[in-house]
Amino acid sequence: MARRSRRRPSSTPPPLEDDDLLHEILLRLPPQPPYILRASLVSKRWRRLATDPKFLRRFRVHHRRPPLLGVFSSDYKRNISFRSTLDPPYRIPPERFSLPLEPWPMLDCRHGRVLFVEKKRHQLIVWDPITDHYCFVAGPPLFKIGVLSGAVLCAAADQGHVHGDCRSSPFKVVVLAYAKHDDQEAGCVASVYYSETGIWSDLISTTLPWRPVACEYSTFVGNAVHWMLMSSGGLSEGILQFDLDQQRLAVINTPPDVHYEFHSVQVIQTEDGGLGFATLLGPHYHPRFQMWEGKVNSHGVARWVLRRTVELQKILGLGFRIEKGMSSIVRYTEDAHAIFFWVHSFVYMAQLESMQSKKLFRSNGGFCTYRPFTSFYTEGINGLKQK
């Protein structure tokens, strides 16, 4: 009778039983909250690995760019609401990021924080929606001039820091206001608040050939904040740049030979991290989306190079004709490197690298501003860890 040979047990564990290998697999999951949450439900072991603080830090560093969780919208009455852009059933409920306090004008949203202004009390409010923590900041003297716009920025200086998980990091607030130098000249003045010291910087000013009507949305490129300037005629007249390193305000020209309507332009970040410019041009029924790259010299003069032109209908995959006055650029977020369009009462998002688009939601109607909110969100995972 033949004897059966006994196999020696392998010293190498199956791939999914090797913690180091499983860590590497989990590390490559997409950054959107549902994926890690699903993985943590597989077993107690997977949950332990997925909720490990060291792994979550590596996960954020690996992805670098935080996912888009949703959009804060503000109507003409300053009512602020949150709309999750995650797919069901993982959408974050609106009440999770609701404002219990009185409505304030919303100035900015970046690096996981939202900036408001309260003009009556001459103060700014920095809100962290994830922790629901508010920081009230007494405004600088330029509040008496009239606040034009503002920006909130993470001020973390540690090497390898990834924006989108900045809750324990210091922050900066940039405030921009009108400044009238004399009867002939108008201009802008800016100041920076540092949360580490609780001190505002000296005022930085620049003259302008006209009085700007609006420069609402900011874009952070390099280490400078940029705003589009609009004249009383409703056209974009240039880009206002505030260099945080040099503490300097300057006006940069936009691409030449084209008159840009203010609601159809946006400062963006190029793929290599440089200054870019996006616009919608052409007939209203056949708008074209253009992206430009700018090289700015020491005098604030930009040499613009057209990098891409795509029909808006192709980007969004629309099967209908866009009617006159029914399309505009809503917002750009450098955190997600995505641009938002309003077309026929719906808001769409397009990733600028891939040009893949997604239909998000129907707009509230009437005048409404939108602030995309990006962050690494692990609330569901943390809740599992506590069980």
Side-chain angles (χ1 to χ4, degrees):
M1 186 175 180
R3 296 177 63 184
R4 295 181 181 179
S5 60
R6 294 182 179 180
R7 294 182 181 179
R8 293 183 178 180
S10 174
S11 60
T12 304
L16 293 183
E17 292 184 11
D18 185 315
D19 282 3
D20 291 336
L21 185 56
L22 183 55
H23 259 149
E24 293 301 318
I25 295 173
L26 295 176
L27 196 67
R28 284 155 178 79
L29 290 174
Q32 285 76 16
Y35 295 96
I36 287 290
L37 179 61
R38 290 174 187 172
S40 66
L41 296 173
V42 171
S43 67
K44 289 183 178 180
R45 176 171 161 267
W46 282 45
R47 185 183 309 167
R48 173 177 56 83
L49 296 175
T51 57
D52 179 56
K54 292 183 179 179
F55 165 74
L56 291 175
R57 281 195 295 270
R58 284 190 62 204
F59 185 79
R60 292 188 286 266
V61 170
H62 175 79
H63 288 284
R64 301 297 303 174
R65 188 169 285 160
L68 177 72
L69 299 183
V71 177
F72 286 102
S73 61
S74 176
D75 60 21
Y76 70 98
K77 293 183 178 180
R78 298 175 183 169
N79 295 314
I80 298 171
S81 59
F82 175 79
R83 296 189 184 190
S84 177
T85 54
L86 300 176
D87 294 327
Y90 300 100
R91 287 179 180 166
I92 302 171
E95 58 271 15
R96 172 61 183 86
F97 298 141
S98 62
L99 284 165
L101 303 177
E102 61 183 288
W104 304 299
M106 185 167 47
L107 294 182
D108 195 28
C109 180
R110 181 181 289 105
H111 298 164
R113 293 183 171 103
V114 185
L115 178 65
F116 303 93
V117 59
E118 189 181 13
K119 296 181 180 179
K120 290 182 179 180
R121 298 181 181 178
H122 301 288
Q123 66 178 356
L124 295 137
I125 300 98
V126 178
W127 177 45
D128 182 344
I130 301 293
T131 63
D132 200 29
H133 177 263
Y134 293 85
C135 181
F136 294 84
V137 179
L142 59 80
F143 256 73
K144 299 177 182 179
I145 305 173
V147 173
L148 187 59
S149 189
V152 60
L153 311 162
C154 175
D158 49 309
Q159 188 176 5
H161 175 79
V162 177
H163 295 309
D165 188 46
C166 311
R167 287 177 279 282
S168 60
S169 303
F171 62 86
K172 300 176 185 177
V173 172
V174 180
V175 172
L176 190 68
Y178 294 115
K180 189 171 183 180
H181 298 282
D182 54 42
D183 292 337
Q184 302 299 322
E185 290 186 327
C188 287
V189 60
S191 183
V192 186
Y193 172 81
Y194 302 89
S195 68
E196 288 181 294
T197 61
I199 297 174
W200 286 93
S201 71
D202 294 335
L203 299 183
I204 301 101
S205 63
T206 187
T207 58
L208 297 173
W210 71 95
R211 179 181 171 89
V213 175
C215 54
E216 187 175 357
Y217 294 123
S218 65
T219 303
F220 188 55
V221 179
N223 200 31
V225 185
H226 302 79
W227 293 272
M228 293 299 310
L229 293 171
M230 185 182 75
S231 66
S232 57
L235 299 177
S236 171
E237 298 291 349
I239 300 169
L240 183 65
Q241 180 191 69
F242 179 60
D243 191 310
L244 289 163
D245 290 329
Q246 301 182 25
Q247 295 286 290
R248 184 185 66 181
L249 276 170
V251 178
I252 300 172
N253 58 296
T254 54
D257 303 325
V258 179
H259 295 288
Y260 300 102
E261 295 182 359
F262 188 69
H263 65 273
S264 294
V265 293
Q266 184 69 59
V267 180
I268 63 172
Q269 189 179 71
T270 60
E271 292 184 7
D272 61 356
L275 181 65
F277 181 82
T279 184
L280 281 178
L281 287 177
H284 290 287
Y285 59 86
H286 202 191
R288 302 186 309 273
F289 176 67
Q290 290 188 341
M291 289 191 295
W292 298 72
E293 181 179 1
K295 304 295 183 182
V296 184
N297 62 23
S298 57
H299 301 288
V301 178
R303 181 177 63 85
W304 293 98
V305 179
L306 180 61
R307 292 302 186 192
R308 196 167 188 178
T309 301
V310 190
E311 294 179 6
L312 182 60
Q313 286 175 288
K314 289 185 177 180
I315 296 175
L316 305 182
L318 301 179
F320 57 85
R321 178 172 168 170
I322 299 176
E323 297 178 7
K324 182 178 179 180
M326 297 301 290
S327 65
S328 65
I329 294 178
V330 172
R331 186 71 171 93
Y332 166 77
T333 171
E334 66 271 9
D335 286 349
H337 194 43
I339 199 156
F340 295 76
F341 299 99
W342 176 87
V343 178
H344 282 266
S345 301
F346 283 90
V347 176
Y348 297 79
M349 178 187 71
Q351 295 286 344
L352 292 187
E353 291 177 354
S354 63
M355 279 298 165
Q356 293 182 342
S357 65
K358 180 181 180 180
K359 187 178 182 180
L360 298 181
F361 51 78
R362 189 180 186 91
S363 64
N364 294 334
F367 177 78
C368 196
T369 59
Y370 299 96
R371 309 281 180 175
F373 178 60
T374 61
S375 182
F376 289 101
Y377 185 69
T378 58
E379 181 173 284
I381 300 173
N382 293 336
L384 289 172
K385 185 177 181 180
Q386 295 171 2
K387 292 182 180 180

